[in-house]
């Protein structure tokens, strides 16, 4: 495999820039490297460059931007071995996962290239003039979506490629015509750097403005605060914790010019196992749930942390099958020491709670995590708010309900979610019809007879949901609809023919 030695610099205005201080990476394995520390001053330089690039970049043709996105994808693939090498070292994720995530990352870029070539995202509308209308004539109106301006993107800890430097937020913003300033995640700075190298190469080969993309590495809380409060930033894409995302959201709202903050903040993704489905295949569902729960050490925002099932022998079978499958899962390496520590603290809270009964408890040490499983009742869950809070990792909670009415009451009691799942058979039709509209109000994606881990990048995908799953229930961070976050509609009235050109024509 190719050897990659990072230089540890920021990318600003098309140039690699050293910082005054450095921090050492903390890889799961392999050598540590030093990286420049971000600062508010460097953020200001990157935002200035992005603002300077905006007019020219927004005026590029859809074909030119599509070619730029495809060039980024090609440059990433040209560095495939090096991306996998540094990515596996930093994250502890296996090669197969990194390779798959790289494919998803380049696939997103190519999908957005195809999407903007079609032009449908512009949502162009024309109302022809009616000069003879009574009692007053109607002017000609042309409406079209235009880019909002420079966008800030925060890299995610759990997806070093698909939700980070050139991930979905960056791809959507660049496709829309918006320059991007990325705050790299300190958990995978080398991965961020090599992807930034790919973007830089694509900028140069396609002749795009140098300030159209920047990467600011590391830095403390002040770096993120400086980025979202810089007056040249017009929107923010964020994937991370509820506490961190809410703090940045509040800063965006408090600006003299408030801007939209599109934060994807996590979810417990409840799974409702209806009675007929439980009777037919409780063992299968329990085993499948355990597999989804522990995939990637449970470090997915769509991890189904809660299973709801009617109490009785079928629930016993589901729990027994899940426990048996979880017992076969050994310790898994987590993405960072901090995430592993937070997982242990979450399991400790559950172990100390009088509202749950342990089914399977394990000891997790250092950067590893092992599965934990608990049971509770509807009343206990609804009275203990912390039971509905995400524990990031392979921890599951079974809620045993007494009746269909209680299952409905529980569904209504959930906060906003990224996903909700129904396991249902034909005999569950009446209850499924009762629950479906409730779950649609609670989640951005409702599944039937499956598991939510795995988010398809497609036109019809929604990865978002009511708060606290995300800060904007009308948006998605995955799929082509996500481009709408970085566009705004403008109506043009009675333009003369010589101004009706380009996408307006």
């Amino acid at each position: 495999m190719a050897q990659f030695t990072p230089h540890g610099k920021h990318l600003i205005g098309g140039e690699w820039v050293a910082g005054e201080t450095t921090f050492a990476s903390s890889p799961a394995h392999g050598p540590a490297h030093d990286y420049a520390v971000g600062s508010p001053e460097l953020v200001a330089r990157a935002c200035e460059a992005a603002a300077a690039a905006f007019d020219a970049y927004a005026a590029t043709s859809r074909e030119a931007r599509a070619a730029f996105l495809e060039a980024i994808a090609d440059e990433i693939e040209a560095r495939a071995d090096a991306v996998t090498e540094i990515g596996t070292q930093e994250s502890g994720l296996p090669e197969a996962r990194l390779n798959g995530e790289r494919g998803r990352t380049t696939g997103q870029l190519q999908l957005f290239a195809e999407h903007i070539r079609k032009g449908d995202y512009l949502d162009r509308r024309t109302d022809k003039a009616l000069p003879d209308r009574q009692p007053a004539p109607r002017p000609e109106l042309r409406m079209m979506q235009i880019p909002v301006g420079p966008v800030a993107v925060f890299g995610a800890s759990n997806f070093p490629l698909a939700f980070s430097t050139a991930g979905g937020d960056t791809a959507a913003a660049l496709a829309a015509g918006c320059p991007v300033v990325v705050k790299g995640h300190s958990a995978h700075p080398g991965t961020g750097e090599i992807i930034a190298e790919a973007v830089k190469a694509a900028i140069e080969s396609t002749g795009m403005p140098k300030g159209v993309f920047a990467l600011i590495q590391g830095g403390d809380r002040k770096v993120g605060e400086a980025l979202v409060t810089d007056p040249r930033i017009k929107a923010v894409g964020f994937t991370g914790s509820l506490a961190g995302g809410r703090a940045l959201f509040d800063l965006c709202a408090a600006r003299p010019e408030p801007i939209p903050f599109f934060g994807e903040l996590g979810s417990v993704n409840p799974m409702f196992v209806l009675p007929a489905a439980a009777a037919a295949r409780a063992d299968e569902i329990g085993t499948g749930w355990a597999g989804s729960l522990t995939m990637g050490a449970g470090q997915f925002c769509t991890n189904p942390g809660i299973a709801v099932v009617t109490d009785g022998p079928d629930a016993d079978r589901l729990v027994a099958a899940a426990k048996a499958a979880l017992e076969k899962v050994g310790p898994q390496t987590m993405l960072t020491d901090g995430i592993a520590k937070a997982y242990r603290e979450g399991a400790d809270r559950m172990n100390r709670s009088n509202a749950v009964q342990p089914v399977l408890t394990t000891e997790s040490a250092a950067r590893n995590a092992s599965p934990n499983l608990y049971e509770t009742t509807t009343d206990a869950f609804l009275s203990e708010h912390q039971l509905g809070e995400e524990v990031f990792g392979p921890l599951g909670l079974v809620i045993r309900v007494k009746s269909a009415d209680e299952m409905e009451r529980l569904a209504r009691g959930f906060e906003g979610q990224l996903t909700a799942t129904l396991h249902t058979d034909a005999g569950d039709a009446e209850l499924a019809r009762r629950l479906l509209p409730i779950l649609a109000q609670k989640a951005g994606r409702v599944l039937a007879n499956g598991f939510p881990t795995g988010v398809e990048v497609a036109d019809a995908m929604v990865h978002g949901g009511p708060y606290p799953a995300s800060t904007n229930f009308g948006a998605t961070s995955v799929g082509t609809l996500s481009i709408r976050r970085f566009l705004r509609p403008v109506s043009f009235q009675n333009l003369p023919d010589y101004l009706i050109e380009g996408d307006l024509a």
Side-chain angles (χ1 to χ4, degrees):
M1 180 173 291
Q3 295 296 310
F4 172 66
T5 302
H7 50 65
K9 298 178 180 179
H10 312 283
L11 180 61
I12 301 175
E15 304 295 334
W16 292 108
V17 178
E20 294 183 1
T21 59
T22 62
F23 71 97
S25 63
S26 181
H29 58 85
H33 299 281
D34 290 334
Y35 295 88
V37 174
S39 68
E41 292 75 20
L42 290 168
V43 167
R45 285 178 58 183
C47 293
E48 181 181 9
F54 173 60
D55 286 346
Y57 185 62
T60 57
S61 68
R62 289 182 280 117
E63 177 57 40
R65 291 201 304 279
F68 175 42
L69 295 173
E70 290 170 339
I72 297 173
D74 291 342
E75 294 289 352
I76 291 173
E77 288 299 337
R79 295 160 174 78
D81 287 349
V83 170
T84 299
E85 177 196 26
I86 193 70
T88 54
Q89 289 177 359
E90 290 183 326
S91 67
L93 296 170
E95 286 188 15
R97 158 69 192 276
L98 260 295
N99 289 337
E101 192 180 330
R102 189 187 72 251
R104 171 173 169 169
T105 304
T106 56
Q108 288 175 152
L109 290 160
Q110 292 159 346
L111 178 64
F112 274 111
E114 177 185 354
H115 185 62
I116 61 175
R117 280 192 175 105
K118 295 175 181 177
D120 294 345
Y121 76 99
L122 294 167
D123 194 17
R124 289 172 287 195
R125 306 179 186 196
T126 301
D127 290 311
K128 294 186 179 299
L130 298 175
D132 299 326
R133 190 183 67 175
Q134 295 297 327
R138 185 179 76 184
E140 180 188 73
L141 297 170
R142 293 172 181 261
M143 190 275 285
M144 186 178 74
Q145 302 282 342
I146 68 169
V148 299
V151 170
V153 170
F154 286 72
S157 63
N158 59 332
F159 281 90
L161 297 172
F163 278 86
S164 290
T165 310
D169 289 345
T170 297
L174 291 177
C178 300
V180 173
V181 179
V182 174
K183 181 184 181 296
H185 200 287
S186 58
H188 42 77
T191 310
E193 179 183 305
I194 195 169
I195 297 300
E197 284 188 350
V199 179
K200 182 176 184 294
I203 290 171
E204 294 169 351
S205 68
T206 59
M208 289 298 169
K210 292 183 177 180
V212 76
F213 175 86
L215 171 67
I216 304 296
Q217 292 279 23
D220 59 18
R221 184 178 299 175
K222 292 180 181 178
V223 176
E225 293 174 352
L227 184 53
V228 302
T229 56
D230 190 289
R232 290 159 290 206
I233 294 297
K234 301 303 180 183
V236 180
F238 174 90
T239 299
S241 70
L242 175 60
R246 182 54 196 254
L248 294 173
F249 172 84
D250 290 344
L251 286 173
C252 288
R255 286 175 36 148
E257 178 200 6
I259 59 172
F261 178 87
F262 299 103
E264 193 267 281
L265 309 179
S267 180
V268 293
N269 305 296
M271 182 181 79
F272 290 79
V273 184
L274 277 54
R281 55 184 196 281
D283 306 84
E284 176 186 338
I285 294 171
T287 301
W289 179 47
S292 184
L293 191 68
T294 57
M295 182 185 298
Q299 298 170 117
F300 291 97
C301 46
T302 53
N303 179 26
I306 291 179
V308 180
V309 61
T310 305
D311 196 14
D314 295 329
D316 295 341
R317 290 195 295 123
L318 184 147
V319 171
K323 179 183 178 183
L326 293 174
E327 287 175 331
K328 298 176 182 177
V329 178
Q332 296 175 276
T333 302
M334 301 203 83
L335 292 158
T336 69
D337 293 330
I339 290 174
K341 181 175 181 288
Y343 175 71
R344 291 194 297 272
E345 291 172 348
D348 287 344
R349 287 196 304 271
M350 297 291 275
N351 291 330
R352 293 194 304 268
S353 174
N354 293 324
V356 302
Q357 297 293 322
V359 176
L360 174 66
T361 58
T362 58
E363 294 291 333
S364 298
R367 196 163 161 171
N368 293 327
S370 296
N372 289 274
L373 182 62
Y374 304 88
E375 289 185 338
T376 191
T377 63
T378 300
D379 289 341
F381 178 83
L382 294 177
S383 65
E384 293 283 343
H385 183 269
Q386 69 174 10
L387 297 183
E389 297 175 354
E390 181 184 29
V391 178
F392 197 61
L395 185 147
L397 176 66
V398 176
I399 305 176
R400 291 178 179 253
V401 301
K402 298 176 181 177
S403 65
D405 288 343
E406 189 172 299
M407 188 174 284
E408 180 180 336
R409 180 166 71 94
L410 181 62
R412 294 185 184 280
F414 274 103
E415 294 182 319
Q417 305 291 328
L418 294 172
T419 77
T421 301
L422 286 171
H423 284 275
T424 176
D425 277 1
D428 297 311
E430 181 179 350
L431 178 55
R433 291 192 187 100
R434 289 171 58 185
L435 293 176
L436 184 60
I438 299 170
L439 299 183
Q441 290 295 319
K442 298 290 183 177
R445 177 164 56 113
V446 182
L447 299 82
N449 299 325
F451 300 97
T453 40
V455 182
E456 188 69 27
V457 181
D459 291 332
M461 176 53 66
V462 173
H463 189 59
Y467 187 84
S470 62
T471 56
N472 190 311
F473 59 79
T476 174
S477 62
V478 177
T480 54
L481 186 63
S482 65
I483 196 174
R484 287 295 187 94
R485 296 173 298 167
F486 308 123
L487 298 164
R488 67 180 182 88
V490 175
S491 183
F492 300 90
Q493 182 170 323
N494 282 341
L495 289 186
D497 290 344
Y498 58 81
L499 290 181
I500 301 173
E501 55 189 7
D503 285 331
L504 264 178

